[in-house]
Amino acid sequence: MSFDPPRSAPPRVGPGVEVGIDEAVIRTQVHAFYARVRGDPMLAPVFEAKIIEWAPHLERMCDFWSSVMLMTGRYHGRPMPMHAAIPGIAPEHFQRWLDLFHETADEVCSPEAARLFVAKAELIGESRQLGIAISRGELPSRD
């Protein structure tokens, strides 16, 4: 009787690979985007109130986008409670965040990579807004 060794699962390939996204593209997008955020009159005060040291935040965001785009599994955070705890965060903040993210992706990425980044950012933004509304009891009841 012989035993076959267990087969390992094929490596996971994230959606970004097909459109040329790699760690360097992610790093460029994240750093360029947050440079814009830090200079934006609407978003800078929100971020500056919560982020004391930018270098660790940028690394966390690179890990996050690496997990989203390349399925590396490097990000192990819980972003919803952090976002829900920000007083005064509103849909217009998310829209501005998306606008800046889109502008940055269009400038630093290929058109295909920019489209994928923006599509993922829109889903993430919608999810965050819904989660915040739920945590604040702002959704109408289904009675």
Side-chain angles (χ1 to χ4, degrees):
M1 177 167 146
S2 70
F3 292 99
D4 291 329
R7 294 182 190 193
S8 61
R12 295 171 64 178
V13 176
V17 173
E18 285 186 28
V19 296
I21 295 174
D22 60 15
E23 296 294 346
V25 170
I26 290 167
R27 184 170 184 77
T28 299
Q29 170 68 18
V30 166
H31 284 255
F33 168 67
Y34 281 102
R36 285 181 186 223
V37 165
R38 293 180 78 180
D40 186 76
M42 176 187 271
L43 295 180
V46 175
F47 280 83
E48 294 292 340
K50 292 291 181 184
I51 299 171
I52 296 166
E53 293 190 41
W54 277 92
H57 179 72
L58 293 173
E59 288 308 309
R60 244 185 336 272
M61 293 301 92
C62 287
D63 289 347
F64 174 82
W65 283 104
S66 177
S67 292
V68 170
M69 296 302 215
L70 304 176
M71 298 179 84
T72 60
R74 288 197 338 236
Y75 181 76
H76 300 285
R78 293 185 36 208
M80 185 56 69
M82 291 155 87
H83 288 86
I86 299 171
I89 195 168
E92 52 269 15
H93 293 103
F94 283 96
Q95 187 56 56
R96 183 67 183 144
W97 181 88
L98 281 172
D99 291 345
L100 290 180
F101 196 88
H102 192 263
E103 289 171 14
T104 307
D106 282 348
E107 286 184 15
V108 303
C109 299
S110 70
E112 298 82 12
R115 279 193 295 276
L116 183 59
F117 262 121
V118 170
K120 294 291 187 182
E122 287 174 348
L123 289 172
I124 291 163
E126 288 174 20
S127 173
R128 296 286 185 280
Q129 288 184 77
L130 182 59
I132 289 169
I134 289 169
S135 73
R136 293 179 178 169
E138 295 173 351
L139 293 179
S141 68
R142 296 184 160 211
D143 295 339

